[in-house]
Structures are given as structure tokens and as C-alpha cells.
Amino acid sequence: MVEQGNGKNRTAIVTGAASPNGIGLNTAQRFAREGWGVVVLDLDGTAAAERAQELMRDFGVPAHGAGVDVADESSVHGARDAVLARVAAGELPPLGAVVNIAGITSPAPFLETDLALWNRVMAVNATGTYLVTRAFLPALLEAGWGRIVNMSSVSAQRGGGVFGKVPYSSAKAAILGFTKSLARELEDSGVTVNAVAPGAVDTDIRVGSTEEMEASIATAVPLGRTATKDEVSNCIYFLAGDESSYLTGITLDINGGSHMH
Ligand SMILES: NC(=O)c1ccc[n+]([C@@H]2O[C@H](COP(=O)([O-])OP(=O)(O)OC[C@H]3O[C@@H](n4cnc5c(N)ncnc54)[C@H](O)[C@@H]3O)[C@@H](O)[C@H]2O)c1
């Protein structure tokens, strides 16, 4: 077994990490606070570059930000090549974790869902997770140690009921199958693959949710409230570290008890 040691000597790739109020940025900050190098990948390239500058300034860690559409293979490959070139140049530590957070939702009822919407929600959430993992996994395997953490949702497990509807639940369920199957295939390679499944978290993705919807969500949660971003990034960070060494293929529920298996 390769001993890795948290932080300082590793880089975490975090997708969807440019939104100022998002889980991705909160997660990127968590890694930076622990001394990891951080790569911010996001559709919004300007914001991704700004977030990377802020991480370097605020936490004193090496960081890199770039615009990437996780649903577009050539875009992902371009980002991968730039990151690996910076690793090879010694400007970033070797890769240690890939955290697939980029995602979009849709509250459209099923009969208002057209193929374009279905395809885009599947592409960003599910295909994006595949493409980014496929691009960076060889570097983790070469290192003999790595952590892949994928963002699902309680919507995948209980059939929506939070905000996103059929395409979103379907895409997030695909991520759970992807996670388990890849975890099994990677066996004892040193690279683990796990997922998190949050309930409602207060971010911009749920803009459009009404006060009534928010109140009914909180009422259905035994802990009586939605999750904070810290509560989600704490779990992601746990799965990215040495302490989760005997976990692979799991889905870590972060739902305040709203869905129990
Ligand atoms: N907020 C919640 O209640 C909640 C609950 C469960 C799961 N999630 C999941 O957490 C993740 C983060 O969501 P959030 O709540 O922080 O929302 P958010 O909208 O703040 O963040 C999503 C980020 O993904 C980026 N993104 C969107 N499409 C992209 C693409 N094609 N390529 C690259 N980046 C892209 C956006 O620019 C944004 O920075 C999503 O996958 C979401 O489905 C959120």
C-alpha cells in the first residue's frame, strides 16, 4: 500500500468550483485550507481563474483555474493537458483527488421535459463525471494512490422531492452506478471511488425554489433544516483523505435523515 499523507504534497481537481455560493468553491477552499494544491475547473473560465488566484492569496497553496465544459471531451482534454503540464513543471503537486461537482438541475415536470433538456442534464452531470474521471484517472493510477469523489443527490435515491425532477434524478442515479462499477473495477489499484448524496443545500442551483418549497423541505428533514456547504465539503474531504482508506463504492448520505436505507 502506498502511504500518501493528506495534503501539502497533492493536488485536488474540483469541477464546478467557481460559483461564489457553491459547494464546489467551498470544497476547493477546504482542500486549500488543508494544504492541498487545487485546480478549479468550471464553465465560467474567468471566475475559475479568479477563484484560483483567491485560493493562492488566502491559503498560500498552488492553484490553477480554467474554463472547461465537463460535457465536452475536447474541452476536458485541454484542461487535463494544461494541468498535467503544470504538474510536470513542478508548479502543482502530483494529482491526489478528482472531485466531480459540476452539475445542473431542472425543476421541469416530466411532460415539459424535451430531449434537449434531458440530454444537457445527463451530459453535464453524468457524462461530465465520466469524461473528467476518464481524463485524470491514469495520473492517479500511475501514482498508485488516489481518491475520486462524485456528486450525486438524495434525489437519485428517493426520486426527486427536493428540487430537481426526472432528468436530474436519472443523471444523479447514473453517477451512483458509475461510482460503484468503477470502484469494483479499480480493485486494489490504490484509487478509491465514492459518492456523496446531499439533500437540499443552500446554493444558487435552487434559485426559483419558493419559500413554501423550502419550508416543506425542512419539515421533511428529521434534523429540521437544510445542509450547510461546510457539512457537504467535510464529507467530501473525508472521502478524499487517508481516513477513508477502507471505503470504496460507497454513497455517503448527507441528508439530515430525510432518506434512510
Ligand atoms: N444545492 C443542493 O441542494 C444540492 C443538493 C445535492 C446535490 N447538489 C449537487 O452539487 C453540485 C454543486 O451544486 P451547487 O448547489 O453548488 O450549485 P451551483 O450552481 O452553485 O454550482 C454548480 C457549478 O457547476 C458549474 N457548471 C455547470 N455546468 C458546467 C459544465 N458544463 N462544465 C463545468 N462546470 C459547470 C457552474 O458554473 C457552477 O459553478 C451539483 O452537482 C448539484 O447537482 C446540490
Side-chain angles (χ1 to χ4, degrees):
M1 188 177 116
V2 176
E3 293 296 332
Q4 193 263 347
N6 280 346
K8 298 217 176 346
N9 51 353
R10 294 281 157 180
T11 292
I13 311 282
V14 188
T15 72
S19 170
N21 189 35
I23 296 166
L25 177 60
N26 189 285
T27 301
Q29 290 167 336
R30 176 63 200 264
F31 277 94
R33 194 174 307 124
E34 305 288 346
W36 288 62
V38 181
V39 171
V40 174
L41 300 181
D42 199 283
L43 198 54
D44 185 341
T46 306
E50 284 171 8
R51 297 293 96 80
Q53 289 295 328
E54 290 161 10
L55 292 172
M56 289 190 279
R57 182 195 66 205
D58 297 344
F59 300 97
V61 296
H64 172 90
V68 59
D69 180 353
V70 296
D72 181 284
E73 187 172 35
S74 60
S75 175
V76 170
H77 286 178
R80 185 259 330 262
D81 293 347
V83 168
L84 294 185
R86 293 203 63 187
V87 170
E91 295 166 5
L92 287 169
L95 247 52
V98 175
V99 187
N100 289 299
I101 294 184
I104 55 171
T105 189
S106 167
F110 183 62
L111 290 179
E112 293 169 25
T113 303
D114 63 15
L115 183 59
L117 177 65
W118 168 270
N119 282 342
R120 188 64 187 158
V121 173
M122 292 299 284
V124 177
N125 291 285
T127 308
T129 298
Y130 157 72
L131 285 174
V132 172
T133 303
R134 178 69 187 82
F136 288 104
L137 177 60
L140 298 179
L141 290 172
E142 199 179 318
W145 190 97
R147 299 282 189 259
I148 297 167
V149 185
N150 298 323
M151 176 60 77
S152 184
S153 166
V154 73
S155 293
Q157 301 164 309
R158 49 170 273 183
V162 181
F163 185 64
K165 289 208 163 29
V166 174
Y168 183 72
S169 298
S170 304
K172 292 303 192 187
I175 289 169
L176 297 183
F178 173 89
T179 299
K180 292 177 197 177
S181 187
L182 184 59
R184 190 177 293 279
E185 186 172 325
L186 294 183
E187 296 182 317
D188 62 349
S189 63
V191 179
T192 64
V193 193
N194 292 295
V196 293
V201 191
D202 192 17
T203 70
D204 297 343
I205 205 170
R206 292 164 58 250
V207 165
S209 180
T210 62
E211 263 182 45
E212 291 76 29
M213 286 162 75
E214 293 299 303
S216 83
I217 288 168
T219 307
V221 177
L223 290 185
R225 59 177 177 79
T226 55
T228 66
K229 292 186 287 288
D230 283 352
E231 287 168 329
V232 178
S233 66
N234 284 341
C235 292
I236 293 171
Y237 189 73
F238 164 66
L239 291 174
D242 286 326
E243 290 77 9
S244 65
S245 51
Y246 202 57
L247 302 181
T248 196
I250 76 151
T251 302
L252 186 50
D253 295 339
I254 315 169
N255 62 35
S258 63
H259 181 76
M260 302 182 192
H261 307 258

